[in-house]
Amino acid sequence: MLSRPPLDRIAFLGISWYSLFIVTGVVLGILLATREEKRLGLPKDTTIDFAILAIPLALVGARLYYVLFQWDSFSEDLLSIFDIRSGGLAIYGGVLGGLLAAWLVSKRKQIALSSILDIVAPSLVLGQAIGRWGNYFNMEAYGFRLSDPALQFFPFAVEIPVGSVWYWHMATFFYEFCWNLAVFALLMGIRHFTRKKGDVFCFYLLLYCAGRTVIEGMREDSLTFINEFVRVSQILSALACVAIVIVFYLRLKHKTQPFYLLPIAATVLALAGCFIGEFERGAYANLFTAAQIIMLALLVCQIALCVLCFINARRRKLKNLVPLTVASLFTLGILLSGLGRADANNQLFVSWRQIACMLQMIASGMLLYPFRRQSPAPARAEHR
């Protein structure tokens, strides 16, 4: 029933479905952040003050980000930059606008910026999940065309019209909707066990960006620069994951222990495996063997980490074992299923390999982060 989005993008009274979902996400996000504001003991109306600034700044940031990487489409008609009803918003630009708003509110109210980021992180990813349904009605944010009839079904695929003909494409908007909901659920659990202010936002970046790195590689309408193989949001997502892993590593006291060095090595290998796949998928099929060798090296690191976890009772914890085991099994599966595929069409196989790489990014962050149960927040307002 949902395989073909309606051609009419208007919901009612001239209001588009896209804007309806965005407004719904914003309203629910404000309500949720207000609850987090009380839980963390922040000054009253911190969320409202943030929202008043964040909504316009996020809109401007989302538009400028899109225009920057689609400049050829606007260079001959500068007034079209202001025609946002015709489409053209990018979520990362909106996030940057929101970060600016959070900084301004933190300065004005004398609240730690990290605390504001923590209260808005779950709301942000929930809003992103809801907003993806706006992409469905706009018939955008879809993936590769699928010619195999066995894959032509919703929610795996969605039909997109070209003229009067409908073609099946990967429903990447739906993949991200599901991933964002999963990240939202994880953040709602993690927030009770973080050690420092700002860590909830750090986990938002690690988890959301890991999924976005994979999904962005499947999309056909990504913003690119230099050439069509270099996807802006995919690069930012992967680098954000690496940055969070490094932040967690730098906080450790005993950085030179093998147990802490191996996740860094695995992260580097995962980053390499992810991006060599993009060029392999784009035009350099001869990179397949090199990519699989990188995955083999990654598996060796994962096995070593598993051994270190099992021989040390302190590290034999679910938060270490579950992500690491899942990532290791996925990597092993990629290596086994890659046998004999050197000369095959590996467009989708690259995405499976990238999933293995991003699972390791998440596992590395979990291995390097020491969770603990938080004590209840004081009732008084929290200032710097």
Side-chain angles (χ1 to χ4, degrees):
M1 293 294 294
L2 293 173
S3 65
R4 290 192 178 188
L7 291 174
D8 188 358
R9 301 181 182 183
I10 303 301
F12 53 85
L13 300 177
I15 299 174
S16 68
W17 284 105
Y18 186 88
S19 58
L20 187 62
F21 281 109
I22 294 298
V23 170
T24 301
V26 169
V27 172
L28 291 178
I30 291 174
L31 293 175
L32 177 62
T34 301
R35 290 184 60 188
E36 286 298 285
E37 169 192 305
K38 294 177 181 178
R39 185 180 72 86
L40 295 179
L42 297 183
K44 186 179 179 181
D45 294 332
T46 296
T47 298
I48 298 300
D49 291 343
F50 167 76
I52 290 172
L53 278 176
I55 292 171
L57 287 176
L59 183 62
V60 171
R63 184 59 169 175
L64 289 179
Y65 185 98
Y66 182 85
V67 170
L68 176 63
F69 293 104
Q70 289 286 328
W71 178 245
D72 291 343
S73 302
F74 300 94
S75 59
E76 296 182 1
D77 182 12
L78 297 182
L79 291 178
S80 64
I81 294 174
F82 302 96
D83 183 20
I84 61 173
R85 286 183 62 87
S86 297
L89 299 174
I91 185 62
Y92 275 133
V95 172
L96 291 174
L99 286 173
L100 176 58
W103 179 76
L104 291 173
V105 171
S106 73
K107 290 293 184 183
R108 189 173 67 185
K109 298 180 76 75
Q110 290 298 296
I111 304 170
L113 172 61
S114 54
S115 293
I116 297 178
L117 295 179
D118 277 350
I119 68 171
V120 302
S123 297
L124 175 58
V125 76
L126 177 62
Q128 287 174 293
I130 296 170
R132 281 305 173 193
W133 281 101
N135 297 135
Y136 166 77
F137 284 95
N138 276 5
M139 288 183 282
E140 59 191 10
Y142 53 84
F144 301 132
R145 183 175 168 184
L146 297 171
S147 56
D148 186 351
L151 301 177
Q152 295 175 350
F153 63 92
F154 187 85
F156 186 78
V158 67
E159 292 182 271
I160 302 295
V162 179
S164 59
V165 181
W166 293 76
Y167 293 100
W168 286 93
H169 291 260
M170 299 179 75
T172 46
F173 81 90
F174 186 78
Y175 307 164
E176 189 167 337
F177 162 73
C178 295
W179 178 248
N180 289 350
L181 282 186
V183 173
F184 170 72
L186 288 169
L187 291 184
M188 294 300 286
I190 286 173
R191 68 199 170 115
H192 295 294
F193 299 91
T194 53
R195 283 182 168 264
K196 293 186 177 183
K197 298 172 187 175
D199 283 353
V200 175
F201 186 74
C202 285
F203 275 106
Y204 157 76
L205 288 177
L206 177 64
L207 295 168
Y208 168 75
C209 291
R212 183 65 184 269
T213 300
V214 177
I215 297 168
E216 194 70 23
M218 303 176 190
R219 286 177 53 172
E220 284 199 339
D221 59 349
S222 296
L223 298 176
T224 61
F225 71 104
I226 301 176
N227 60 45
E228 66 273 19
F229 307 140
V230 183
R231 304 167 188 262
V232 182
S233 295
Q234 187 180 44
I235 291 175
L236 288 177
S237 297
L239 292 181
C241 290
V242 173
I244 297 304
V245 172
I246 291 174
V247 167
F248 290 166
Y249 171 75
L250 292 177
R251 292 181 184 176
L252 298 171
K253 294 181 179 179
H254 307 289
K255 300 180 179 65
T256 57
Q257 291 184 7
F259 183 78
Y260 299 132
L261 290 174
L262 280 172
I264 296 298
T267 297
V268 173
L269 290 169
L271 183 67
C274 180
F275 281 109
I276 197 173
E278 279 305 310
F279 286 93
E280 173 195 345
R281 178 159 55 194
Y284 303 96
N286 59 332
L287 291 174
F288 177 85
T289 301
Q292 291 298 95
I293 291 173
I294 290 174
M295 298 305 292
L296 178 59
L298 177 60
L299 181 61
V300 171
C301 282
Q302 292 168 332
I303 292 172
L305 280 167
C306 287
V307 171
L308 290 175
C309 281
F310 276 105
I311 64 176
N312 189 320
R314 266 190 332 122
R315 292 166 181 159
R316 204 181 305 134
K317 301 175 181 178
L318 285 178
K319 72 98 177 175
N320 290 340
L321 294 176
V322 172
L324 184 57
T325 301
V326 171
S328 302
L329 291 175
F330 222 98
T331 303
L332 177 61
I334 290 299
L335 287 169
L336 294 177
S337 59
L339 296 175
R341 293 193 60 93
D343 298 319
N345 180 354
N346 291 314
Q347 187 179 54
L348 293 180
F349 183 77
V350 166
S351 295
W352 287 104
R353 188 193 297 140
Q354 289 176 336
I355 291 174
C357 291
M358 290 302 107
L359 285 173
Q360 180 53 50
M361 290 275 194
I362 295 171
S364 293
M366 300 296 280
L367 286 165
L368 296 173
Y369 190 86
F371 288 99
R372 70 175 179 186
R373 181 75 186 182
Q374 292 179 352
S375 57
R380 63 180 176 81
E382 177 247 345
H383 293 268
R384 285 186 191 149

